[in-house]
Amino acid sequence: MALLFAANSLSAQSTVAEARDVIAPLVEAYGPVGHEGPVREVVLRMLPAWAQPTVDSAGNVWVWAGPSSGPPVVFVAHLDEIGFEVTGVRPDGQLTLRSLGGFFPSLYEAEPALVHTAAGTVPAVFTLRDTVGANPRRTPASTPGQTGAQTTIFIRVDPGTGDSAQTRALGIRIGDVVTMPKAYVPLAGTRATGRSFDDRVGCAAQLLALRHLAVQRLRHRVLFVFSTREEIGLQGARAVANALGAGALRVHALDTFVSADAPLEIRTFADAPLGRGAVARAVDNSSVTPPLLLDSLVALARAQRIPLQVGTTNGGNDGSTFTRWGVPDVAIGWPLRYSHSPAEVIDLRDLVALADITQAIAERW
């Protein structure tokens, strides 16, 4: 169901430009699960001057705003991206892998790879699978956002050495992480493609909201969290939820709405077209938004003339880790094409809407 509210075209255009400046460096920073440091550094650099961030033992970034006491409204977006971990070095120098998050492995075969070592980045190539059966796998190798989403992958990585000794001489060790080269690439109009928009868009929306937040007018405490290790079980958010316990008023996870807005998709589920605004995740695999809060969110968007869609999709969200403490989870996302692929597609207008609804929630709800 799409709920569309007109926005001022001139102000929206200038905001799109700002959104582009924020999302591009976030996308181009590498941060596989458990190795989010480079992305965290970009976030810390882009925070407004008034923010006083702290980093907890799980690597999460906390930014408080508003009154110094009272139950907070929590926003959370995750820093990490899917990747691979090196599990072994074969005699021929190739690396065996396990996944960190949910993959379509066929999308990575015969593509460039990067091995992130303690000494630097080593270029390599993802190999072809050994065999192809009659029914190639069309589902992810593991389910994103679920505990234990790590599986052995039938593709490997070849640094071109030819033997294990030469591979180790490059500084490659078991436990190093592997990604694919990536870049933020503008498309026509307000569209863009790249890898790891999940969940750099959520992080960008929080940064944009923080930049424009009327801190002095906040009536309650607000906490913005940039979390770690979401793709293998919401681990960073779980640490935050356990730290706050029942003390939070409400949580809003800002994460991908895996949309059916793609040429071969069936529109009977997860139908949220790109370019038509943020999406209230009414139901996903990890949580259900309480109907009264969903209706209240829609009313807020309507009052502020912020484009908002409502839908159901697959996947989990960080906010679900708070529900065991009785904290309502009102997850919000943006429509994404080709999720967890090397060429995800977004519309910057949806990022703007996500940032605007985040700011409106903090200031007015």
Side-chain angles (χ1 to χ4, degrees):
M1 175 177 64
L3 305 169
L4 305 181
F5 312 109
N8 181 287
S9 59
L10 293 178
S11 62
Q13 188 62 36
S14 63
T15 310
V16 163
E18 182 184 13
R20 183 182 299 112
D21 290 342
V22 172
I23 187 62
L26 286 170
V27 164
E28 294 184 349
Y30 292 90
V33 176
H35 299 261
E36 299 91 350
V39 188
R40 183 167 48 244
E41 291 305 312
V42 173
V43 166
L44 292 172
R45 289 199 305 267
M46 299 182 80
L47 287 169
W50 59 262
Q52 297 182 325
T54 59
V55 180
D56 65 18
S57 59
N60 303 305
V61 177
W62 298 47
V63 180
W64 291 95
S68 58
S69 61
V73 172
V74 181
F75 298 91
V76 57
H78 66 89
L79 297 164
D80 59 314
E81 65 193 76
I82 58 175
F84 300 92
E85 183 179 85
V86 176
T87 59
V89 181
R90 290 165 32 123
D92 62 3
Q94 295 187 34
L95 310 175
T96 57
L97 308 173
R98 69 169 177 168
S99 67
L100 299 174
F103 278 82
F104 293 90
S106 61
L107 299 179
Y108 291 77
E109 293 177 89
E111 295 288 347
L114 296 174
V115 185
H116 301 270
T117 76
T121 302
V122 177
V125 174
F126 289 104
T127 66
L128 292 170
R129 71 188 86 185
D130 290 332
T131 59
V132 178
N135 297 300
R137 191 178 183 93
R138 296 296 184 183
T139 56
S142 55
T143 303
Q146 303 299 317
T147 302
Q150 305 174 61
T151 59
T152 301
I153 295 296
F154 54 76
I155 55 175
R156 297 182 297 275
V157 161
D158 184 359
T161 57
D163 65 62
S164 60
Q166 292 184 58
T167 294
R168 291 191 173 90
L170 295 174
I172 297 173
R173 299 292 183 267
I174 293 174
D176 287 341
V177 290
V178 178
T179 63
M180 177 186 285
K182 59 178 180 172
Y184 174 87
V185 180
L187 300 175
T190 52
R191 300 285 171 92
T193 186
R195 189 175 61 74
S196 73
F197 282 124
D198 174 16
D199 184 27
R200 305 301 158 73
V201 172
C203 293
Q206 292 197 150
L207 287 168
L208 289 165
L210 282 163
R211 286 184 175 187
H212 296 284
L213 198 63
V215 179
Q216 69 281 1
R217 294 207 300 263
L218 294 179
R219 293 173 293 178
H220 50 70
R221 297 185 87 191
V222 178
L223 171 62
F224 289 84
V225 176
F226 299 84
S227 69
T228 58
R229 301 192 303 281
E230 187 269 354
E231 298 290 359
I232 59 168
L234 320 177
Q235 293 180 12
R238 195 177 309 279
V240 176
N242 290 342
L244 296 175
L249 180 64
R250 195 174 60 244
V251 62
H252 298 276
L254 277 60
D255 206 344
T256 308
F257 185 92
V258 180
S259 176
D261 181 19
L264 299 180
E265 294 283 357
I266 299 172
R267 302 295 176 86
T268 55
F269 179 74
D271 184 18
L274 271 64
R276 297 189 185 179
V279 190
R281 290 175 60 153
V283 179
D284 64 21
N285 296 123
S286 68
S287 67
V288 177
T289 300
L292 287 176
L293 293 179
L294 182 62
D295 291 344
S296 180
L297 178 64
V298 169
L300 175 67
R302 181 179 290 112
Q304 299 301 310
R305 301 185 69 79
I306 299 169
L308 180 69
Q309 306 178 72
V310 178
T312 61
T313 190
N314 284 319
N317 73 80
D318 274 332
S320 65
T321 62
F322 289 71
T323 57
R324 67 185 295 263
W325 297 100
V327 178
D329 178 17
V330 185
I332 311 168
W334 75 96
L336 180 68
R337 280 186 187 171
Y338 317 129
S339 178
H340 281 209
S341 82
E344 297 172 334
V345 177
I346 65 164
D347 192 305
L348 289 168
R349 292 173 295 179
D350 301 329
L351 168 53
V352 170
L354 183 63
D356 288 348
I357 195 64
T358 300
Q359 181 183 351
I361 291 168
E363 294 177 354
R364 300 176 183 274
W365 196 14

